[in-house]
Structure formats: structure tokens, C-alpha cells
Amino acid sequence: MVGDCVKRGTTMKSARFAGLLSFVAGVLMLVCGAFAWGITSTQLASENITVANDAPAFAGSKVAGPLTAFYQAEAVKQHTRAASNGLTYAELGAKVQEARDAGETATAEQLQATRAMVETGNFVRTSLLTSVMAFGVSALVMGAGLLFSFLGWGLYRLSATHAQETESQEA
């Protein structure tokens, strides 16, 4: 009987500790996710990028969040494709080589300049999409933190309630 009480007491303390640990970890995750979101937003906004007027959405808005960054990346893609007549960086590389092989130096230089522009557009687009991913990971961490906090708090409260019930039954 005494052994059962000790086991139950140890189990309750373990459950309470696990609940408290989960709650604290969840709060920490929530704070870290929010901090990462804030840093990403602040750094992106400091670049003073405005969504292009012909973007699918948010035209004219300052790029500072996941949606504005995504739609500006789409606008960059449209502009780059239009300027390169729909050719990709790799396709332009092949065209440059073909022009050089054919001895068309002026055409090769023009294609190479277009290729450099496409490369820059790809870098800008990749940077914007990386920030979109950073926002997504931040949101995931905040959501997991919220879940851990709720589950940890619930486990802590449940174990405390169960411990009180056990004490009142033993008395």
C-alpha cells in the first residue's frame, strides 16, 4: 500500500514536471518564432521594396510580409521572363554558346547581357522566396509552441488535480 502511494506520487510528480517542461518549451518556441517573424519582417521592410504595379496582388504595397514578398517574387518572374522572351538562364547559356560557335559575337554579347539580367532576377526572386519560407517556418514554430504550451498546461493541471483527488481518497 505504501509502495503504491510512492509510485503514484512519483508518477504524478513526473507528469507534473513533464507538463511544466512542455509548457515552458512551448512558450519559448512561441517567443522564438515571433522573434524570427519580426526580424524577417523588419529586415525585408528595410529594403524598401514595393510590389510591382502589375503583380497579381498587393500592387504598390511595401514588401514586409509573406504575401507581399511572394507576389513581388511572382512579378520579378514575369518581368524576367518577358525581358528574356521566355528563355531561362540555362536556355540563354545555350543560345550564347550557339552564337559564339557561329561567330556571331554581337548576338552572343547581347544574349550574355540578357542572361546576366535573368541571373539577377533569379537572385532577387530567390531572396524573396527565402523570406517567404522564413515566415512559414516562423509560423510553424509559433504554432507548435502554442500546441506544446496548451498540452503542457493541460498535463500539469490534470496531474495536479489527480494528485489532489488521490490525497483526499487516502485521507
Side-chain angles (χ1 to χ4, degrees):
M1 179 120 147
V2 171
D4 288 341
C5 289
V6 170
K7 286 180 187 176
R8 262 186 268 147
T10 303
T11 303
M12 288 301 110
K13 287 180 184 176
S14 296
R16 260 165 105 172
F17 179 72
L20 187 59
L21 189 64
S22 293
F23 177 77
V24 170
V27 169
L28 186 62
M29 290 172 70
L30 191 56
V31 168
C32 289
F35 180 75
W37 182 288
I39 289 293
T40 303
S41 181
T42 301
Q43 291 298 309
L44 194 55
S46 74
E47 294 297 322
N48 294 318
I49 303 167
T50 302
V51 179
N53 289 332
D54 60 345
F58 300 102
S61 299
K62 186 171 184 176
V63 176
L67 295 176
T68 53
F70 177 77
Y71 284 108
Q72 178 58 19
E74 287 301 302
V76 169
K77 179 182 176 181
Q78 289 173 0
H79 296 168
T80 303
R81 288 284 166 96
S84 69
N85 294 320
L87 296 173
T88 65
Y89 179 79
E91 292 168 335
L92 283 165
K95 296 275 186 191
V96 168
Q97 192 58 49
E98 286 174 18
R100 284 185 183 151
D101 291 345
E104 300 171 1
T105 308
T107 302
E109 287 176 9
Q110 182 183 15
L111 287 168
Q112 185 58 43
T114 302
R115 189 171 191 236
M117 181 274 309
V118 169
E119 180 179 35
T120 301
N122 288 344
F123 288 151
V124 170
R125 186 166 186 268
T126 300
S127 295
L128 288 165
L129 291 174
T130 300
S131 70
V132 171
M133 190 174 7
F135 283 115
V137 171
S138 296
L140 174 68
V141 170
M142 287 188 290
L146 200 58
L147 182 64
F148 268 88
S149 295
F150 284 140
L151 290 176
W153 182 249
L155 182 60
Y156 180 82
R157 294 294 301 150
L158 185 65
S159 63
T161 302
H162 186 66
Q164 287 175 350
E165 289 174 359
T166 302
E167 286 176 10
S168 65
Q169 287 176 357
E170 291 173 358

